[in-house]
Amino acid sequence: MQSSCAEIRSDIRDRVLEITIHRPERKNALTMAMYTAMAELLDAAAKDPEVRVVILTGTEDAFTSGNDLADFLGGSASGEESPVFQFMRALYDFPKPVIAAVSGYAVGIGTTLLLHCDLSIAEDDAVFQLPFVNLGLCPEYASSYLLPRIMGQAKAAELLLLGEKFDAQTAAEVNICNEVVFSGEALERARKLAAALALKAPEAVRLTKKLLRRGTQELGLEIIREEAGHFQQRLQSEEFREAATAFMEKRPADFSRFD
């Protein structure tokens, strides 16, 4: 099972597929090609009986720092035919267990995709952030629905409206990840969990995952679509253009002229 993109690596061992985001020079910022490659791997793994578990991971200093803003300045990133949506749908509908091993930065979708993994292991020096408002954008990947549901309205509002960084211990306390381990140990721990799951009755595992998500699957997809529509509009907004330009120019964004 080969990746179509050099910056997304794949390896199957003992019925576990590891998908590694590998663009360390940009802290694993995601491009459209990288989204396409991950969606293709997940779609193939869903149909492959030799794959029972998937691990998503990054490099030593970054899980992913989020989207590559230069790729998003065109404003066509979140329609249902876009690579981003195709990846979201592939992970959202994936019928087998997915384990995330998080080290370093987990920004934007680097945090929200964890809401769609079954288990998430974070290293104690990992850094999480939901900076959508800071970029003139809005929440995505059903995070506007799932975050209040798992952590309460007040904490979700704090994380989404202020867009500040938070640590791995906080991520565990608010149920974004399952477990915090020492630096350098997340992938090893994820591999142990994956090996244990790969030995279990595969149909029973798939059915349990399906039952855990019953009642929210269709609603979640509806919310993903609604958020994506707003996100698409925001990508074409002057607020986003100012935020993206400021980011690339390494200066604070100036929203003072906007109503």
Side-chain angles (χ1 to χ4, degrees), residues 209-241:
K209 175 169 178 169
K210 181 178 180 180
L211 290 171
L212 281 168
R213 298 181 177 218
R214 72 190 184 280
T216 63
Q217 194 74 0
E218 287 304 314
L219 176 58
L221 186 57
E222 179 183 333
I223 292 168
I224 290 171
R225 288 192 176 108
E226 180 183 355
E227 288 174 341
H230 291 299
F231 200 95
Q232 177 71 19
Q233 292 176 345
R234 299 304 307 159
L235 287 173
Q236 298 169 8
S237 71
E238 288 300 314
E239 289 183 347
F240 171 68
R241 188 164 296 277

Side-chain angles (χ1 to χ4, degrees), residues 1 5 87 110 114 128-129 131 143-144 153 164 207 212 231 237 243 259:
M1 192 176 296
C5 175
F87 164 73
L114 301 178
F128 300 80
Q129 190 176 16
S143 58
S144 64
Q153 185 72 26
E164 295 175 346
L207 179 58
L212 281 168
F231 200 95
S237 71
D259 295 329

Side-chain angles (χ1 to χ4, degrees), residues 30 32 35 67-77 84 231 235 240:
L30 295 168
M32 298 302 168
Y35 276 117
N67 297 318
D68 187 313
L69 290 183
D71 236 21
F72 276 62
L73 276 170
S76 59
V84 181
F231 200 95
L235 287 173
F240 171 68

Side-chain angles (χ1 to χ4, degrees), residues 98-168:
V98 179
I99 304 172
V102 181
S103 56
Y105 289 100
V107 178
I109 198 166
T111 294
T112 60
L113 74 79
L114 301 178
L115 304 175
H116 305 284
C117 295
D118 301 286
L119 299 170
S120 298
I121 311 302
E123 295 180 0
D124 56 8
D125 55 357
V127 177
F128 300 80
Q129 190 176 16
L130 297 163
F132 304 113
V133 167
N134 302 353
L135 294 170
L137 299 171
C138 66
E140 37 87 300
Y141 216 174
S143 58
S144 64
Y145 168 68
L146 292 172
L147 289 176
R149 189 166 177 260
I150 67 172
M151 67 179 65
Q153 185 72 26
K155 192 63 179 180
E158 176 188 331
L159 297 183
L160 286 170
L161 289 174
L162 295 177
E164 295 175 346
K165 296 175 182 177
F166 55 101
D167 60 19

Side-chain angles (χ1 to χ4, degrees), residues 15-82:
R15 295 192 168 184
V16 177
L17 169 64
E18 287 188 18
I19 299 175
T20 303
I21 306 169
H22 195 270
R23 196 187 179 201
E25 71 280 4
R26 294 295 303 274
K27 297 195 182 299
N28 295 339
L30 295 168
T31 64
M32 298 302 168
M34 294 165 74
Y35 276 117
T36 294
M38 290 191 291
E40 290 171 346
L41 288 168
L42 288 170
D43 286 341
K47 301 170 186 174
D48 188 342
E50 290 304 307
V51 176
R52 292 192 176 182
V53 186
V54 168
I55 294 174
L56 289 176
T57 190
T59 51
E60 184 176 333
D61 65 346
F63 180 56
T64 170
S65 58
N67 297 318
D68 187 313
L69 290 183
D71 236 21
F72 276 62
L73 276 170
S76 59
S78 61
E80 289 199 35
E81 300 305 315
S82 74

Side-chain angles (χ1 to χ4, degrees), residues 149-187:
R149 189 166 177 260
I150 67 172
M151 67 179 65
Q153 185 72 26
K155 192 63 179 180
E158 176 188 331
L159 297 183
L160 286 170
L161 289 174
L162 295 177
E164 295 175 346
K165 296 175 182 177
F166 55 101
D167 60 19
Q169 191 58 48
T170 300
E173 290 170 357
V174 298
N175 298 318
I176 288 175
C177 63
N178 297 81
E179 187 177 341
V180 179
V181 297
F182 291 121
S183 179
E185 295 183 1
L187 184 55

